[in-house]
Amino acid sequence: MTATPVPPHRTPAHRTPPHRIPAPRTALTRDALAPLVRAAAGPHRALAAVVRLRGGSKKGVYRLHFDDDTTAVAYVWSADEDYWDAGPSDLRDPFSHGTGLGLFTAAHDRLTAVGVRTPRLLYADDTHTHLPAETAVVEDLTGGSLEAALKRDPDAGRASLEQLAEQLTALHAHRGPAFGKVALVDNGGVPSDRSCEQRVIDGALRDIAATVVRDARIADAREELEAAVQEMGAAVRPRSRHALIHGELGPDHVLLDADGRPALIDIEGLMYFDVEWEHVFLELRFHEAYDALRVPGLDEDRLRLYRLAMRLSLVAGPLRLLDGDFPEPGPMRAIAEHNLRRALELIGRPPQAPGHAPAPAPGR
């Protein structure tokens, strides 16, 4: 992809080994982002200020304030902005590390084609011309997140929630010829696993193995957890249809425009997969508001397997992230703890106090 300007609107990898004190990461400055902004916005608007937005762990997200009181948002994909030590990413794995301009533009184009709102792409560059990173500039949606709207005024946020339900109906009605990331499937690629449920089973077993060395409660329940995953997986009947899903859609991944209309963000993980995976995540993140997004006809066996697998993933992932230098460890640790307790409850284990797994015996 070459640098692609769009008319302006209003709106060398390094990894830090665990347990080593890293050099502090610094946000990009206005001067550092100025060349990108000149290419994206042209010579008639100057960059007045830059604010790095909180919450991102895979890419840098910067609000750009121009001298004419308009704004835009810059995405920066670089090792300095990515707190995960994921290693090489295999595009054939639908749950591989979802980051990079190629994944973003493929997802943006697919969402636009099916009529699902996402911030408009204003400029994209994978040539590292303006920064030593892949970059994009998108419109800035000024209505805040759906999460904030629902907390501020649930009744007023209800209209946006109902519009989101309509968008999800359109999204999930779109089918793919295979399961996997949009960037793979839309270009004729095939996944590395034989089915959605097998990928989830394999991932859940890996998440258990990764967590037993970090928490004694998972170590103690390992055999029960592994047996539950296998038993639930065996109950799932084969399926050949695959819906277009976001994959990690919480109310914080939905922004509102000035009129309260929702738009999906953090779209790099867009994929064709079981719609039940989407609904398990929606159920988990939207809580009581999920009732507005609920649909009939979902496969209960897949839901049962995916609920446990999702909880295990939301333990293993945050704990692995905390091995590095993620700047907000408290909330991430709370996510891991909450989901660990829910995972144990799903196999009939009572809540237990936090505990770390003992060190392995010598020679093991």
Side-chain angles (χ1 to χ4, degrees):
M1 178 187 301
T2 56
T4 308
V6 182
H9 295 264
R10 256 181 202 281
T11 64
H14 72 270
R15 300 293 179 197
T16 303
H19 314 305
R20 177 174 152 192
I21 299 175
R25 306 188 192 211
T26 57
L28 292 173
T29 64
R30 183 181 66 174
D31 288 345
L33 285 162
L36 171 67
V37 172
R38 281 195 296 271
H44 303 299
R45 290 195 300 169
L47 185 60
V50 167
V51 178
R52 191 186 193 282
L53 302 183
R54 297 179 59 190
S57 65
K58 294 180 180 178
K59 66 178 178 286
V61 181
Y62 294 84
R63 175 166 284 121
L64 310 173
H65 294 265
F66 296 100
D67 60 354
D68 61 355
D69 294 328
T70 62
T71 59
V73 171
Y75 294 154
V76 179
W77 291 274
S78 72
D80 285 329
E81 302 282 3
D82 190 342
Y83 288 91
W84 294 87
D85 186 14
S89 183
D90 184 356
L91 188 60
R92 298 174 303 158
D93 179 0
F95 295 134
S96 61
H97 194 50
T99 187
L101 179 61
L103 292 176
F104 172 78
T105 54
H108 178 278
D109 292 347
R110 175 51 56 201
L111 289 173
T112 301
V114 301
V116 174
R117 181 87 158 90
T118 191
R120 292 190 303 274
L121 177 62
L122 308 179
Y123 182 87
D125 180 26
D126 67 355
T127 67
H128 294 208
T129 298
H130 312 296
L131 283 170
E134 296 178 339
T135 54
V137 177
V138 302
E139 70 170 315
D140 185 18
L141 298 179
T142 59
S145 71
L146 179 56
E147 181 175 49
L150 289 171
K151 288 180 179 178
R152 183 172 59 248
D153 187 342
D155 291 334
R158 182 77 183 188
S160 298
L161 187 64
E162 291 173 351
Q163 290 181 49
L164 174 63
E166 294 175 0
Q167 291 203 17
L168 290 180
T169 297
L171 183 74
H172 297 158
H174 189 76
R175 307 292 186 185
F179 72 93
K181 291 185 185 297
V182 163
L184 174 79
V185 176
D186 282 2
N187 287 294
V190 295
S192 55
D193 283 284
R194 64 180 183 268
S195 68
C196 296
E197 62 270 19
Q198 190 59 53
R199 172 59 183 86
V200 171
I201 292 167
D202 293 343
L205 295 175
R206 285 194 294 268
D207 287 336
I208 294 168
T211 309
V212 296
V213 298
R214 292 179 167 93
D215 194 284
R217 293 165 294 177
I218 296 295
D220 184 55
R222 179 173 189 166
E223 291 185 2
E224 292 172 64
L225 285 166
E226 290 175 340
V229 169
Q230 296 285 14
E231 177 188 348
M232 293 177 187
V236 174
R237 297 177 300 279
R239 174 192 284 171
S240 59
R241 66 183 187 275
H242 308 104
L244 185 62
I245 70 170
H246 180 283
E248 294 184 344
L249 191 58
D252 55 332
H253 288 167
V254 181
L255 297 184
L256 306 179
D257 66 14
D259 297 318
R261 294 173 297 190
L264 310 189
I265 62 168
D266 285 349
I267 60 175
E268 290 93 319
L270 192 75
M271 59 182 166
Y272 300 101
F273 208 75
D274 284 336
V275 73
E276 286 84 2
W277 184 260
E278 185 97 291
H279 276 275
V280 166
F281 200 89
L282 292 170
E283 180 183 59
L284 186 154
R285 288 289 287 110
F286 277 85
H287 306 292
E288 63 276 2
Y290 174 67
D291 281 342
L293 309 176
R294 193 184 304 274
V295 298
L298 298 177
D299 184 331
E300 290 298 328
D301 289 328
R302 287 176 193 271
L303 290 172
R304 186 166 171 254
L305 169 64
Y306 291 177
R307 284 187 182 110
L308 178 57
M310 184 79 73
R311 295 294 186 180
L312 292 169
S313 174
L314 290 171
V315 177
L319 290 182
R320 181 163 57 85
L321 187 62
L322 291 174
D323 283 341
D325 62 334
F326 188 67
E328 299 179 57
M332 198 60 62
R333 190 170 290 110
I335 290 172
E337 177 63 22
H338 173 78
N339 286 285
L340 189 152
R341 288 171 175 260
R342 298 292 85 79
L344 294 178
E345 287 175 1
L346 287 172
I347 63 166
R349 285 261 182 160
Q352 302 173 40
H356 299 289
R364 296 185 61 186

